[in-house]
Amino acid sequence: MTEEDSAADSAPDSEGAGKPSRWRRATAAARRAVSLPFNGLDYLYRTGQTYQHFTLPILNGAIGDQLAARHDRRAIQMSFRQHNADVPVARLQLGRERQKTVVFLHGLMGDEQIWQAGAPNAPRYGPLLQREAGVRCLYVRYNSGLHISHNGQLLNELLTGLVTTYPELISELVLIGHSMGGLVIRSAGYYGTREPKQPAPWIARLRSVFLLGVPNEGSFLEQNSHLTSVVLRKIDIVPTRLLSKAMDQRSSGIKDLRHAFLVDDDWQNPHADDLFPPRTTVPPLPGVHYHVLVGSLLKTAGSALDHYFGDGLVGGGSAIGRIFGNPALPADNQVATKVFPKLNHGTLLSNPEVYQYLQEHI
């Protein structure tokens, strides 16, 4: 390289003193371009590692009923979870203090970690409530691909085992469910009050139920999926039949979301696939305070748009529900409804205002 070339390379760019030369800018841009795919792969890897725990719950939500039917080891068994592992009721670490106990249930394709871990600036309700409200928090994982009524019966058995195994340690019981988890809680209450001799023992300890973004009247997404499948089947040509058949492979749990079927009789009914199928009424449990927490994508709730789309996955009208929104509820039914504007279905799980509401009412 000549002295002139060297001087030209090191000299300030004509665009202004102190700026790097065009050569240096081009070299830096080239380095960034070369490293971009590697940075992208690294980001994807780190993201995959962070959310790896969702792989099994997503699989179960999609085809969990099929996994369970063939006794596949990947089928999730309903269980309490501690330290990232299933824990039998008899081996739960509850300490020695008598406390109000809060049990969390995730939604479709979720797991217990949604209540415990996440972004540093997002409140996670379980650890915060345990630390600031002085309650004991327990987390349930379940196969969200099974019928909601099946999971309701399993939850009834699990809570019965909890209360009968530790009668001296549980003063009161609080249940918190997100999305499908709230429907499972309601189903468990239905089966818990229909025991042959008397209500299940956990019913007497239950004081509050919090329903976060729960499709109490069904999911418009699943209703649209079902309608699309029916239309494709009616067209009755090979491609549409194949597509309809593929769509119909979604799990029983997802199909139950169409009309929020909570009881075996509902999905077993020969008219279950009708546009307006018969559905068992599951009222609030007497003496239990229900808190129906509803998200809305809009700044102001109450419009027809909000009624249908709500938090983006659950319509506002469905979340409030005909039963919980009924002004003629019996006097011993206590229902409070709270709408949180500008919150979507996911952010209901990590919002300071929602957490404040939980803390105040728990």
Side-chain angles (χ1 to χ4, degrees), residues 39-99:
N39 291 337
L41 289 172
D42 179 63
Y43 172 78
L44 289 175
Y45 174 77
R46 285 185 282 108
T47 303
Q49 291 297 306
T50 301
Y51 296 101
Q52 188 177 21
H53 63 91
F54 278 131
T55 304
L56 194 60
I58 289 173
L59 180 67
N60 276 254
I63 57 169
D65 53 345
Q66 300 172 42
L67 296 176
R70 59 175 182 257
H71 305 287
D72 192 298
R73 61 182 178 80
R74 293 169 295 179
I76 292 174
Q77 306 297 316
M78 180 178 283
S79 175
F80 288 112
R81 298 277 293 181
Q82 289 183 332
H83 309 298
N84 296 322
D86 290 351
V87 181
V89 171
R91 294 175 57 189
L92 284 171
Q93 300 175 19
L94 302 185
R96 298 183 179 181
E97 184 178 352
R98 184 176 176 84
Q99 285 182 297

Side-chain angles (χ1 to χ4, degrees), residues 179-225:
S179 198
M180 180 188 281
L183 297 179
V184 173
I185 289 172
R186 292 184 59 203
S187 178
Y190 173 88
Y191 286 105
T193 55
R194 279 155 181 76
E195 296 290 335
K197 296 181 179 179
Q198 59 183 3
W202 65 271
I203 298 289
R205 306 282 179 110
L206 185 62
R207 293 294 176 267
S208 302
V209 171
F210 293 81
L211 305 175
L212 281 63
V214 175
N216 290 299
E217 298 299 325
S219 164
F220 68 86
L221 291 176
E222 169 54 21
Q223 291 163 7
N224 291 338
S225 296

Side-chain angles (χ1 to χ4, degrees), residues 50-357:
T50 301
Y51 296 101
Q52 188 177 21
H53 63 91
F54 278 131
T55 304
L56 194 60
I58 289 173
L59 180 67
N60 276 254
I63 57 169
D65 53 345
Q66 300 172 42
L67 296 176
R70 59 175 182 257
H71 305 287
D72 192 298
R73 61 182 178 80
R74 293 169 295 179
I76 292 174
Q77 306 297 316
M78 180 178 283
S79 175
F80 288 112
R81 298 277 293 181
Q82 289 183 332
H83 309 298
N84 296 322
D86 290 351
V87 181
V89 171
R91 294 175 57 189
L92 284 171
Q93 300 175 19
L94 302 185
R96 298 183 179 181
E97 184 178 352
R98 184 176 176 84
Q99 285 182 297
K100 180 181 292 187
T101 300
V102 181
V103 179
F104 291 88
L105 270 86
H106 59 77
L108 175 69
M109 299 185 181
D111 69 1
E112 72 286 350
Q113 293 193 35
I114 63 171
W115 305 107
Q116 304 173 69
N121 60 342
R124 290 300 169 174
Y125 306 148
L128 281 176
L129 286 172
Q130 191 153 312
R131 183 169 64 248
E132 298 178 359
V135 297
R136 176 192 295 114
C137 292
L138 297 176
Y139 309 92
V140 173
R141 178 187 283 192
Y142 65 96
N143 180 347
S144 59
L146 299 178
H147 280 293
I148 291 170
S149 58
H150 186 177
N151 279 319
Q153 294 168 65
L154 292 175
L155 180 62
N156 175 41
E157 295 172 6
L158 192 69
L159 294 176
T160 296
L162 175 69
V163 170
T164 55
T165 304
Y166 306 100
E168 302 302 321
L169 296 182
I170 299 173
S171 58
E172 297 178 358
L173 196 61
V174 175
L175 303 180
I176 300 179
H178 176 245
S179 198
M180 180 188 281
L183 297 179
V184 173
I185 289 172
R186 292 184 59 203
S187 178
Y190 173 88
Y191 286 105
T193 55
R194 279 155 181 76
E195 296 290 335
K197 296 181 179 179
Q198 59 183 3
W202 65 271
I203 298 289
R205 306 282 179 110
L206 185 62
R207 293 294 176 267
S208 302
V209 171
F210 293 81
L211 305 175
L212 281 63
V214 175
N216 290 299
E217 298 299 325
S219 164
F220 68 86
L221 291 176
E222 169 54 21
Q223 291 163 7
N224 291 338
S225 296
H226 175 66
L227 181 61
T228 301
S229 176
V230 170
V231 170
L232 289 172
R233 200 179 309 121
K234 293 292 185 181
I235 295 174
D236 199 24
I237 59 177
V238 173
T240 60
R241 284 201 303 270
L242 291 175
L243 186 55
S244 175
K245 185 177 181 180
M247 291 181 66
D248 288 341
Q249 295 305 306
R250 60 196 187 279
S251 70
S252 300
I254 293 176
K255 291 177 181 177
D256 283 350
L257 288 175
R258 188 185 319 146
H259 298 291
F261 287 156
L262 306 182
V263 179
D264 286 346
D265 292 344
D266 294 342
W267 58 266
Q268 291 173 349
N269 192 296
H271 297 286
D273 287 333
D274 290 357
L275 191 59
F276 299 102
R279 188 167 63 128
T280 304
T281 299
V282 179
L285 296 172
V288 177
H289 200 153
Y290 285 78
H291 301 265
V292 182
L293 308 187
V294 183
S296 173
L297 297 176
L298 306 178
K299 292 182 180 179
T300 55
S303 67
L305 198 62
D306 175 69
H307 183 87
Y308 186 77
F309 289 105
D311 62 19
L313 292 182
V314 175
S318 178
I320 293 174
R322 284 173 294 178
I323 289 179
F324 295 110
N326 183 2
L329 280 171
D332 57 352
N333 285 122
Q334 308 168 62
V335 177
T337 301
K338 174 74 173 177
V339 179
F340 295 87
K342 297 194 293 184
L343 280 190
N344 62 46
H345 194 64
T347 51
L348 277 170
L349 288 165
S350 58
N351 178 264
E353 293 181 8
V354 176
Y355 171 69
Q356 184 178 358
Y357 184 96

